[in-house]
Amino acid sequence: METIETIETTSVDETFAFGRHLASRLRRGDCVALIGDLGAGKTALTRGIAAGLGLTQANMVSSPTFVLVQEYPARVRIFHIDLYRMKQPELELPSLGLDEMLQEGIVLIEWADRAPTALPRRHWHVEIAATGQTSRQIEVTPLA
């Protein structure tokens, strides 16, 4: 996989804006694998993606750590999954109905690196790294 875009953001607002930009490239059936340490900005980026897909209340978006999956109403249905607390994410992710979610909308998966073999063969790989107090480096790799 070759990275197609690397961007440095300097604030939460810029990370959100980049999420809106990324949303313009997404279509029903796409899966976005969000990878980054705790506090790297995965949920901030997800808020931007959701807003870019037409979610009018981006503040609805929160990390689904305890509920595992959240669904947001937008132009295309958004499914937001968090693998952080799963004990066996490789086994649990498919049982959440991932295939059905992909048929109905776009799936955004936080901590996707915990279940690499359970991800769809074709997916967006988005890696976020903190480079300072509020700055982030975001690398986007196209559908694999």
Side-chain angles (χ1 to χ4, degrees), residues 40-113:
K42 296 179 296 294
T43 303
L45 186 67
T46 297
R47 281 189 189 102
I49 292 170
L53 292 172
L55 181 65
T56 56
Q57 296 177 317
N59 62 342
M60 284 180 64
V61 177
S62 63
S63 184
T65 301
F66 295 101
V67 294
L68 303 179
V69 180
Q70 293 190 109
E71 188 177 329
Y72 310 119
R75 285 189 308 276
V76 176
R77 191 179 302 177
I78 302 165
F79 297 93
H80 183 195
I81 300 173
D82 189 318
L83 304 183
Y84 185 73
R85 295 216 181 269
M86 285 187 180
K87 297 204 183 318
Q88 296 181 300
E90 294 280 343
L91 301 174
E92 294 175 66
L93 180 58
S95 71
L96 291 176
L98 180 60
D99 290 338
E100 292 82 6
M101 289 179 209
L102 289 167
Q103 289 175 8
E104 294 181 31
I106 293 171
V107 179
L108 310 173
I109 303 175
E110 293 193 34
W111 298 96
D113 52 326

Side-chain angles (χ1 to χ4, degrees), residues 8-19:
E8 181 93 16
T9 62
T10 60
S11 67
V12 172
D13 289 341
E14 285 184 12
T15 299
F16 179 91
F18 182 72

Side-chain angles (χ1 to χ4, degrees), residues 5 18 22 26 31-36 41-42 45 49 108-109 111-112 123-129 137-142:
E5 187 165 4
F18 182 72
L22 183 58
L26 301 176
C31 177
V32 179
L34 298 159
I35 297 161
K42 296 179 296 294
L45 186 67
I49 292 170
L108 310 173
I109 303 175
W111 298 96
H123 65 273
W124 292 86
H125 180 96
V126 179
E127 195 152 347
I128 307 169
Q137 179 175 311
I138 304 170
E139 290 184 358
V140 179
T141 306

